[in-house]
Structures are given as C-alpha cells and as structure tokens.
Amino acid sequence: MAIFSHRAGAALTQSPIVERPTGLPRFTKGLLKWSFAIGVVPPVALVVGLAVRSLYVVDYVHVLTGASWTGFDIYTGVVLSRVMRSLEIPARVEISKRLTPTTFFIIPSLAAVAITSGIYLAQEMGKFNLGDPWILAAGGIVVVLTVQGFGVFLPNGVRIFLELAKVKPDPALISRLTMRNVRLAGSQAVFQVLIILVMAHLAVY
Amino acid sequence: MNSSALVAIAVFAGALLSVFGVLYRMASTSHARGELAYEGIVILRWALLGQLAIFAILALTAFLT
C-alpha cells in the first residue's frame, strides 16, 4: 500500500526541514499499514453482509467485532496493564512504539462496526425502540465508550506518534500517555461487560 | 437509504476531524518551533486519511439498508 510509503530520504530533496533527526522508528509505517489492512476488513464485511441482505452475516460481523473489541479491552485492562506497570519506562516506551501503530486503525474500526451493525440488527429485528429501557441503556453505554474512544484513546495515540517524531522525544510523556490508554481500556472493559449483559437480555427477551 | 445512520456516521467523522484538527495545530506549532520533524506531520495526515477511509466504507452501509 502506497499511503504510508513516504521515505525520509526522498523528502530530503524536497524540504531541508527533514534533515533533522526523527525519533519515529522505521517499523512504525509497516505496523500502521498492517493495522489499516486489518482495520478495513470489518467495514467491508458489513458492506458485503448488507449488500447480500443477509441478517446472518450482519449478526456474525456484529458478534465478532463486538467480541474482539471487548476481548482486546479486557486483555489490555486485566493483563497488559499489569505487565506494563512492572516495566521500567524505556521498556514501556518500546512496547508503546509497537502497540500504538498496530492498534491505531484496528480498534476504532472494530468499535465503529460493532456499534453500526448493532443498530442495523436492532432495526431489522424490530427492537430499536427508544422507549425501551434496555435499548436506552445500550445507547448510554455506547455514548460513554465512544466519547472515551474519540476523546482519549485516539488523541493519545496520535500524541504518542507526534512525540516519537520529535527531535528529542520525551520517554516519560510517551509512557504516561500509554499508561493512560491502558488504564482506560480497563474501564472500557467494564462498560463492555455491562453492554454484553444488555445484549444478552435483548437477544433472549 | 438509512438517513439516521448516515447522520450518525457524519457526526462521528466530524468529531474525528475536530480532534485531528486540534492535534494538527499542536503539531504545526511544534514543527514551526523546530521540535517536531516533518515526518510527524506526514504521519498525522496519513493517519487521518486512513481513519476517514474506514468511515467512508462504513458510510456506504447507510445506502444499503
């Protein structure tokens, strides 16, 4: 994919500004490309499911994206947070350099597709009734998860990239931003366990 | 066409653009001060384009329901 194939060497001939050293590791673009390639799969699968008018495929996409999103957050909040806390700052930064680009497109894509496909499913099954307290509960939790995603996760991820690209990256700041995201993943896991409780109720009753 | 879905996706994309707008301003200021390499700005642009591409695919779904 050409979109991340910018080469600093080529840019050197265009702008003298890039002669300054950059802290951005060489593997960052490769991990971003991988993240984008995987991140595109869920929305494309949803488009296919809707195009062939298959409730089964849409349901499959919804359950798989929702479970993957929840699983990632539980893993991050319960397992990775403990591992990160036990590491020294330089080691945390090394993990962040790899974790941030790898999850950059995948997690927002999983979240957006899980929510969108959930709304289509609820509409198709005649359960999208805004007077229903269970639907309102699901909507409320989705709003919290979305605000956390757009307001904290994504900006922190971008700020980590920007810090890494600085002439003198601040390892303490990178570690702090990463730990903020890891802790937030733990709180997202709690909300997702709650939303699955709501989903289980909607599926059965 | 599912207009409410299209509006919701547009709102999400708008939120994304505003977040990136703030970060872009911060990055431009850092770049002007000589703290941030040009590569940081390039990564920011591609990151935004990638996220918008995912939203664009998602917006297609509004025309299929």
Side-chain angles (χ1 to χ4, degrees):
Chain A
M1 198 172 299
I3 64 166
F4 296 116
S5 63
H6 170 82
R7 291 279 179 272
L12 277 169
T13 57
Q14 298 163 3
S15 167
I17 301 163
V18 290
E19 285 172 6
R20 291 174 302 196
T22 166
L24 209 60
R26 292 177 65 85
F27 53 76
T28 304
K29 287 171 198 161
L31 293 176
L32 270 172
K33 281 183 199 172
W34 171 256
S35 183
F36 183 75
I38 301 296
V40 163
V41 174
V44 169
L46 182 60
V47 166
V48 170
L50 290 168
V52 300
R53 306 216 169 273
S54 170
L55 195 63
Y56 174 56
V57 173
V58 175
D59 192 23
Y60 175 70
V61 169
H62 174 64
V63 172
L64 188 56
T65 51
S68 304
W69 183 24
T70 305
F72 174 81
D73 279 347
I74 290 175
Y75 171 77
T76 306
V78 175
V79 179
L80 196 61
S81 64
R82 295 288 141 180
V83 173
M84 293 286 271
R85 278 179 202 180
S86 69
L87 294 170
E88 299 297 326
I89 285 181
R92 288 183 191 177
V93 171
E94 287 307 310
I95 290 180
S96 180
K97 282 179 184 174
R98 291 155 178 83
L99 188 68
T100 306
T102 313
T103 56
F104 191 75
F105 293 111
I106 297 174
I107 303 303
S109 170
L110 288 176
V113 172
I115 294 168
T116 310
S117 57
I119 293 170
Y120 290 148
L121 269 180
Q123 287 176 336
E124 193 63 32
M125 296 166 85
K127 292 190 174 185
F128 197 72
N129 171 17
L130 292 175
D132 183 345
W134 290 93
I135 289 287
L136 285 178
I141 296 169
V142 161
V143 168
V144 172
L145 292 172
T146 306
V147 168
Q148 285 182 332
F150 280 112
V152 187
F153 268 122
L154 196 67
N156 274 358
V158 177
R159 284 181 68 195
I160 290 168
F161 282 133
L162 295 178
E163 195 57 36
L164 287 172
K166 282 187 176 173
V167 178
K168 288 180 184 169
D170 179 357
L173 177 64
I174 295 168
S175 171
R176 208 164 47 243
L177 291 169
T178 305
M179 288 310 289
R180 194 180 294 166
N181 272 5
V182 166
R183 274 193 293 270
L184 191 67
S187 95
Q188 287 233 319
V190 172
F191 282 110
Q192 280 165 350
V193 168
L194 286 175
I195 205 169
I196 288 174
L197 193 71
V198 175
M199 293 297 122
H201 183 277
L202 287 170
V204 173
Y205 299 106
Chain B
M1 187 187 79
N2 190 330
S3 53
S4 53
L6 199 58
V7 169
I9 292 166
V11 168
F12 283 136
L16 183 80
L17 280 172
S18 51
V19 166
F20 268 84
V22 171
L23 291 166
Y24 195 88
R25 209 163 46 207
M26 281 168 53
S28 300
T29 309
S30 294
H31 178 58
R33 282 200 213 111
E35 296 167 357
L36 180 72
Y38 181 68
E39 201 178 11
I41 304 278
V42 173
I43 279 281
L44 193 59
R45 288 177 188 160
W46 286 124
L48 175 62
L49 200 65
Q51 297 285 2
L52 287 178
I54 289 172
F55 272 99
I57 298 170
L58 208 53
L60 280 179
T61 62
F63 297 96
L64 298 169
T65 51

